[in-house]
Amino acid sequence: RLNRLGDDDVVMVEVGCGVGNALFPLLRANPRLFGMSFDASAEAIAHLCARPEYLSGRAHAFVADAVYLARAVLSEFGEAARSDPRSGFDSVRPLLELRGGADFVTAVWTLSAIDPHDFRVVAAGLFALVSPGGILFVRDDAEGDLAQARLAAAAPEREIGEGLFVRGDGTRSFFFSLEFLREIFEGVGFETVENEYIRREIVNRKEGMNMQRVWIQAKFRRPVDS
């Protein structure tokens, strides 16, 4: 399908697509859009691929880990890993031909689940995927959010690093600051277009509670001359 894309087509890469709750509305809104979406959950990808809209041929969804994919895009694997069917390399192969050709990339509520030691390699992989002048959209957990306060209060021993927690199910949860997020992406070559905290007061009338929610919303651009 990528080989048949025209000059007017728009290519999106979606990191952590879940069951397609963002992908399908975007496809409906833009008839020229083609989506390359992946998620670490095989169950989520199975649900996405079973939806009738997926059969339109305007998207390709597959199971992949963001860190593994980034390393593949950056050519960190030798020929042995590339040819070994047990390595998982085949799962990310569709994106390799797209290197430097995505008009935009989205990473929504997904980077915070990655080990902070891998942030830079993931950022570098996304930089390699997006085309010169293309945009990376990020929305994720921010420091000061109610969820962070609850995690810290309920189980202080689960805070294993500054802003980094391990949840009861073993997954990680990181709460970003504006400065840290900017440093990661500018450090691999992106330009910062937008980087801000979004603050909302959520009222739970049933419980009689006002909850302070905070998340980060950012746009980074690959320089046109890169």
Side-chain angles (χ1 to χ4, degrees):
R1 176 65 176 87
L2 282 172
N3 294 331
R4 300 197 301 273
L5 292 177
D7 292 338
D8 292 333
D9 287 311
V10 178
V11 180
M12 171 190 74
V13 173
E14 186 181 13
V15 184
C17 60
V19 298
N21 291 338
L23 171 66
F24 293 116
L26 288 170
L27 291 176
R28 293 182 209 121
N30 188 343
R32 298 188 295 111
L33 180 66
F34 181 79
M36 296 281 284
S37 303
F38 68 91
D39 198 282
S41 169
E43 183 177 359
I45 293 296
H47 280 292
L48 187 157
C49 293
R51 295 174 65 167
E53 285 181 278
Y54 184 72
L55 302 178
S56 68
R58 295 179 53 213
H60 175 67
F62 56 99
V63 179
D65 172 80
V67 178
Y68 186 94
L69 184 143
R71 288 176 173 155
V73 170
L74 296 171
S75 301
E76 291 188 3
F77 296 109
E79 187 54 40
R82 290 169 178 264
S83 59
D84 185 351
R86 298 169 300 176
S87 69
F89 191 83
D90 281 344
S91 68
V92 302
R93 199 179 296 275
L95 267 185
L96 300 188
E97 62 182 288
L98 187 62
R99 189 185 286 113
D103 295 289
F104 65 97
V105 176
T106 66
V108 178
W109 308 118
T110 186
L111 297 178
S112 54
I114 295 171
D115 189 315
H117 291 100
D118 293 319
F119 284 157
R120 187 167 294 274
V121 70
V122 171
L126 298 181
F127 183 86
L129 280 175
V130 74
S131 62
I135 298 289
L136 165 67
F137 296 90
V138 177
R139 179 180 285 180
D140 222 316
D141 295 324
E143 62 179 7
D145 183 52
L146 177 64
Q148 182 181 19
R150 284 178 168 173
L151 283 169
E157 70 279 3
R158 292 190 178 276
E159 185 170 8
I160 60 174
E162 186 175 355
L164 176 63
F165 294 81
V166 175
R167 296 183 181 273
D169 60 2
T171 58
R172 293 173 183 266
S173 188
F174 185 80
F175 295 85
F176 289 94
S177 69
L178 296 179
E179 296 77 12
F180 185 69
L181 191 69
R182 176 180 55 78
E183 288 172 2
I184 290 169
F185 288 103
E186 288 188 356
V188 299
F190 279 105
E191 300 170 336
T192 299
V193 177
E194 176 185 309
N195 188 26
E196 62 181 341
Y197 291 124
I198 306 296
R199 302 179 188 276
R200 295 286 187 273
E201 183 177 71
I202 309 299
V203 179
N204 186 326
R205 301 186 187 281
K206 183 178 180 180
E207 301 292 335
M209 295 174 57
N210 290 352
M211 300 176 287
Q212 303 299 321
R213 304 312 307 262
V214 187
W215 63 87
I216 244 176
Q217 188 162 286
K219 291 195 294 187
F220 301 98
R221 178 173 51 226
R222 178 171 174 171
V224 175
D225 58 357
S226 64

